[in-house]
């Protein structure tokens, strides 16, 4: 009676390079997995709307800033107590602050709880985390003491990100409904599906050029389509693709696990898991309660976001590359 994600993760461990090694081309798996994340966020965006997004803007920015800031600060404080350098502490705090958008939204979608109060809280905080990636990627070189562009680089990147998001929202209101109506009038199922897929991946690519994550771009693409009267048809067309490719994403995460390292370092791994869970539950719970939500909603949201996200892998790789 476990969710399918658990099975996908275990399958990934078994077929990965540290177990049976049945899959040797990790690059192909990673590329397929990225498609799964994009399609997952796209379908979530279609089920959402600009009105719903506007209603949770206080949660996105108020709760998001609190949750990310508290997570970074508390993680850095804990590591300082063990003699870790403050720069490394802040960098580690960035890794801990992020949660898995793909896992959380997949669990909510499977249980039809995306529109529940904890689901809305989780989505709001996840949207801010995806926005925070832009700043975090630019801050890592600064923390490492290399040339990261400083405040000017961060300000320019944020300006680009805000500009492209505003452009996407304008397109959602003015252009997308007319475009999809014109495609639908052709009465060609193939053309409609190809158009929807092109909107999804094209928007995700454009947002990535502005330094915004692909997943957030895909979510914005879904928001654009949600403003059309053909949004339900678009959702039904893309859902089978999303189910297939998102399963590959979770399998690819399982393939990252080094079984030998896990067995040889169980005490420190369990200790790290305990610390991460404690920090995430405390900081998320405080952030949600600070916005006036009741304790059950805060507790459910805190447990939902208690894990570390896929973007932490990207930040960790960047930090390793530049020596922090």
């Amino acid at each position: 009676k476990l969710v399918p994600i658990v099975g996908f993760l275990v399958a990934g461990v078994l077929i990965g390079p540290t177990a049976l090694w049945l899959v040797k081309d990790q690059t192909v798996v990673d590329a397929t997995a990225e498609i799964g994340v994009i399609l997952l966020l796209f379908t979530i965006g279609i089920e959402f709307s600009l009105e719903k997004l506007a209603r949770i803007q206080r949660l996105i920015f108020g709760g998001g800033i609190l949750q990310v800031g508290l997570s970074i600060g508390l993680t850095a404080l804990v590591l300082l107590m063990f003699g870790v350098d403050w720069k490394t502490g802040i960098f580690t705090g960035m890794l801990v602050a992020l949660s898995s958008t793909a896992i959380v939204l997949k669990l909510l979608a499977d249980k039809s709880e995306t529109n529940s109060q904890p689901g809305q809280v989780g989505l709001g905080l996840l949207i801010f985390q995806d926005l925070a990636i832009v700043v975090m990627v630019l801050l890592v070189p600064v923390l490492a003491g290399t040339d990261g562009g400083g405040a000017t680089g961060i300000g320019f990147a944020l300006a680009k990100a805000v500009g492209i998001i505003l452009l996407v929202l304008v397109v959602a209101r003015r252009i997308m409904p007319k475009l999809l109506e014109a495609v639908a009038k052709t009465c060609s199922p193939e053309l409609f599906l190809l158009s929807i897929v092109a909107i999804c991946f094209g928007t995700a690519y454009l947002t990535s050029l502005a330094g915004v994550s692909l997943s957030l771009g895909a979510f914005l693409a879904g928001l654009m389509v949600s403003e059309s009267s053909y949004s339900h048809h678009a959702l039904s067309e893309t859902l089978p693709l999303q189910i297939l490719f998102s399963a590959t994403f979770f399998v690819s995460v399982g393939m990252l696990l080094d079984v030998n390292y896990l067995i040889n370092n169980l005490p420190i791994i369990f200790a790290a898991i305990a610390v991460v869970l404690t920090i995430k539950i405390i900081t998320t719970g405080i952030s949600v309660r600070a916005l006036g939500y009741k304790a059950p909603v805060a507790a459910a949201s805190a447990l939902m976001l208690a894990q570390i996200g896929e973007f932490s892998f990207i930040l960790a790789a960047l930090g390793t590359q530049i020596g922090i």
Side-chain angles (χ1 to χ4, degrees):
K1 297 184 179 180
L2 296 175
V3 293
I5 290 175
V6 177
F8 296 144
L9 292 171
V10 172
V13 174
L14 291 175
I15 68 175
T18 63
L20 300 179
W21 205 26
L22 299 179
V23 177
K24 300 181 180 180
D25 195 342
Q26 182 73 33
T27 304
V28 174
V29 176
D30 291 342
T32 310
E34 193 164 34
I35 294 174
V37 175
I38 292 172
L39 288 171
L40 175 62
L41 271 294
F42 179 65
T43 55
I44 295 295
I46 294 177
E47 294 180 288
F48 222 64
S49 68
L50 294 178
E51 285 76 17
K52 288 181 181 178
L53 194 63
R55 285 201 296 268
I56 64 169
Q57 60 179 323
R58 177 170 168 265
L59 179 61
I60 294 173
F61 295 103
I65 290 172
L66 267 177
Q67 185 268 321
V68 171
L70 288 174
S71 296
I72 293 174
L74 187 54
T75 303
L77 182 62
V78 170
L79 292 177
L80 278 172
M81 294 168 59
F82 288 93
V84 177
D85 177 70
W86 68 270
K87 292 182 179 180
T88 304
I90 291 177
F91 171 70
T92 308
M94 291 179 184
L95 304 182
V96 173
L98 301 174
S99 302
S100 174
T101 303
I103 288 178
V104 173
L105 294 186
K106 178 65 175 173
L107 288 172
L108 289 173
D110 287 346
K111 296 182 178 180
S112 301
E113 293 181 0
T114 304
N115 292 317
S116 66
Q117 206 168 25
Q120 295 290 287
V121 170
L123 180 61
L125 297 181
L126 288 167
I127 289 173
F128 181 82
Q129 289 177 11
D130 281 351
L131 289 170
I133 293 290
V134 179
V135 178
M136 289 180 180
V137 169
L138 292 167
L139 279 177
V140 170
V142 176
L143 290 172
T146 59
D147 183 16
T152 304
I154 293 173
F156 182 64
L158 286 175
K160 283 197 304 179
V162 171
I164 200 164
I165 290 172
L166 291 176
L167 177 63
V168 165
L169 298 181
V170 170
V171 171
R173 289 291 195 185
R174 305 293 182 184
I175 301 174
M176 192 56 61
K178 296 178 182 178
L179 176 62
L180 287 182
E181 184 179 358
V183 173
K185 283 181 178 179
T186 64
C187 298
S188 171
E190 295 86 356
L191 181 59
F192 186 83
L193 176 59
L194 288 171
S195 300
I196 293 298
V197 172
I199 291 167
C200 170
F201 287 95
T203 307
Y205 175 69
L206 286 175
T207 56
S208 71
L209 294 180
V212 180
S213 67
L214 282 170
S215 62
L216 182 60
F219 178 78
L220 291 172
L223 280 179
M224 290 197 302
V225 174
S226 74
E227 297 300 301
S228 166
S229 57
Y230 295 94
S231 60
H232 293 294
H233 183 46
L235 180 62
S236 65
E237 289 287 324
T238 54
L239 202 55
L241 291 174
Q242 180 260 101
I243 292 171
L244 175 63
F245 283 101
S246 63
T248 311
F249 165 75
F250 297 113
V251 171
S252 71
V253 172
M255 292 174 65
L256 295 174
L257 180 65
D258 187 331
V259 179
N260 293 324
Y261 184 87
L262 173 66
I263 294 172
N264 295 329
N265 297 275
L266 279 177
I268 192 171
I269 289 174
F270 282 130
I273 291 172
V275 171
V276 169
L277 290 176
T278 302
I279 290 174
K280 293 296 286 286
I281 290 172
I282 290 174
T283 56
T284 305
I286 290 174
S287 303
V288 176
R289 286 287 286 159
L291 294 178
Y293 288 91
K294 295 182 178 179
V297 176
S301 305
L303 290 170
M304 186 192 312
L305 301 178
Q307 82 295 122
I308 289 179
E310 54 274 4
F311 287 114
S312 297
F313 291 120
I314 299 172
L315 274 183
L318 176 61
T320 302
Q321 180 181 347
I322 63 177
I324 196 172

